[in-house]
Amino acid sequence: MTNSRSISTSLRIPTFDNVQTARVRIASVAHHTPVLTSRTADARTGATIFFKAENLQRAGAFKFRGAYNAVAALDALSRKNGVVAYSSGNHAQALAYAARLQGVSVTIVMPQDAPEIKVAATKGYGAEVVFYDRYTEDRETISRRIAEERGATLIPPYDHPDVIAGQGTATLELIEDVGEIDLLVVPLGGGGLLAGSALSARALLPACTIVGVEPEAGNDGQQSLRKGEVVHIPVPKSIADGALSTYVGAHNFAILKDKVDDIVTVTDGQLVETMRFFAERMKIIVEPTGCLAAAAILHGTIACAGKRVGVLLSGGNVDLKAFSALLGER
Ligand SMILES: *Cc1c(COP(=O)(O)O)cnc(C)c1O
């Protein structure tokens, strides 16, 4: 406890109360997304699976929840000076949209190789977009400089208490809608969704097993959980473009190490097969990153036979050219 103690004193670690506050803030604007089921998925796994369809959330991913909550929590002066974010896509779109809905101006720092659909959508929501090179420049430094110049507030994609609390509302809804589950499986990038989900699941269902899923090429979260401290890795290469973070956040890790049981990985091939499953069998488009948790369940990475399982489908933002290219590969 000594090590984590010294870290957590400087951090404001969110609680389930903060998730409930977030839920009230976003209630009139975020979609209460549906929970989908599939006999094929149940037959394939021997489990009863509840897919929480955040691919159908506003702006196409769960990130709208955390972004809206973070903007709603700002004081009047901060609102006037606007917000800044760096993001590989979905957080940018979500923050741009959430800020516009609340009359707050927004600047987004994005990698040059961000998916076209995400850049276009971010601009479409009225954000100013500044590009950087993912492999040579540091997005945090650039974002901080812009924030300082403009007096704007930096809203990070995951390492922030109000973002985490907002993300936790998806699992709160899921558990309220389906009742008890034995296992909750959640995609993991920087840990906003997993940390928020863990706050809700641990509070409502203390015995529920909570598992995060990362791309195999970027298993920093798995290494971190095993080592008991945050492990940094080089920028991973994976089709899961929403989970290319190189370390989990400090606020996030404080929650994960307490409340998450395990972190597993899946391959890009398994993600593609899972995208195909959703398109063919369930008639929905789920982006590669959005398939992480489902891929681990459908490919037997996590044992789930006989269990009631909640699976977060985290997003659906994939441009159709990329989607068909991936599905055409085999
Ligand atoms: C951001 C994102 C993730 C990862 O979320 P974190 O909060 O960074 O762990 C997973 N799926 C999608 C679709 C995302 O946009």
Side-chain angles (χ1 to χ4, degrees):
M1 206 50 207
T2 47
N3 195 18
S4 64
R5 197 56 181 227
S6 61
I7 296 169
S8 56
T9 46
S10 62
L11 300 175
R12 178 167 64 88
I13 304 301
T15 65
F16 181 56
D17 274 358
N18 301 125
V19 179
Q20 290 175 302
T21 302
R23 197 253 190 95
V24 174
R25 287 194 183 124
I26 70 171
S28 62
V29 284
H31 292 316
H32 183 129
T33 52
V35 175
L36 309 177
T37 57
S38 156
R39 282 194 210 187
T40 312
D42 288 358
R44 186 163 155 178
T45 57
T48 306
I49 302 183
F50 303 100
F51 295 105
K52 176 66 169 168
E54 285 293 298
N55 56 316
L56 305 178
Q57 184 52 262
R58 288 181 86 167
F62 72 91
K63 289 228 173 52
F64 181 73
R65 297 172 181 272
Y68 194 94
N69 187 50
V71 174
L74 294 175
D75 61 29
L77 178 63
S78 306
R79 276 165 181 271
K80 211 170 121 248
N81 289 342
V83 292
V84 183
Y86 54 83
S87 166
S88 56
N90 284 341
H91 174 62
Q93 272 174 262
L95 186 71
Y97 195 15
R100 194 187 65 174
L101 287 172
Q102 297 175 76
V104 173
S105 70
V106 53
T107 306
I108 304 293
V109 177
M110 286 182 113
Q112 280 154 359
D113 62 349
E116 243 174 74
I117 184 178
K118 295 185 177 178
V119 177
T122 306
K123 286 184 177 164
Y125 291 131
E128 180 184 339
V129 176
V130 176
F131 290 102
Y132 77 101
D133 181 339
R134 193 201 283 278
Y135 299 99
T136 63
E137 294 179 290
D138 176 31
R139 61 185 189 176
E140 297 190 39
T141 311
I142 295 172
S143 308
R144 285 218 182 80
R145 198 191 59 225
I146 293 172
E148 261 168 45
E149 283 166 9
R150 303 179 186 188
T153 304
L154 181 63
I155 310 279
Y158 49 82
D159 197 358
H160 189 290
D162 299 319
V163 171
I164 293 170
Q167 316 307 29
T169 59
T171 289
L172 174 55
E173 287 175 10
L174 169 66
I175 294 172
E176 284 183 354
D177 286 352
V178 309
E180 202 154 317
I181 50 175
D182 309 299
L183 172 63
L184 177 70
V185 190
V186 181
L188 170 59
L193 184 60
L194 182 55
S197 299
L199 291 177
S200 292
R202 272 287 162 265
L204 296 170
L205 301 170
C208 179
T209 301
I210 304 170
V211 181
V213 185
E214 291 180 306
E216 188 177 75
N219 74 332
D220 57 288
Q222 186 180 56
Q223 292 184 45
S224 302
L225 198 64
R226 284 178 186 166
K227 200 162 175 213
E229 63 187 58
V230 176
V231 173
H232 293 241
I233 60 165
V235 178
K237 292 207 166 148
S238 163
I239 60 170
D241 59 15
L244 299 183
S245 51
T246 57
Y247 56 92
V248 296
H251 296 85
N252 312 77
F253 188 68
I255 295 169
L256 302 195
K257 75 174 170 28
D258 242 31
K259 304 189 190 295
V260 168
D261 296 290
D262 199 7
I263 293 172
V264 301
T265 66
V266 295
T267 64
D268 279 7
Q270 290 172 328
L271 292 176
V272 171
E273 202 278 329
T274 304
M275 287 167 73
R276 181 189 303 284
F277 172 85
F278 284 123
E280 279 180 357
R281 298 293 178 149
M282 294 178 69
K283 320 303 174 195
I284 54 173
I285 292 181
V286 186
E287 66 183 273
T289 318
C291 288
L292 282 165
I297 285 297
L298 293 175
H299 291 90
T301 314
I302 303 168
C304 63
K307 294 183 178 162
R308 289 168 60 84
V309 185
V311 172
L312 269 283
L313 305 184
S314 50
N317 293 326
V318 52
D319 85 30
L320 283 182
K321 257 192 280 173
F323 184 79
S324 44
L326 285 170
L327 293 198
E329 266 170 18
R330 41 144 256 209

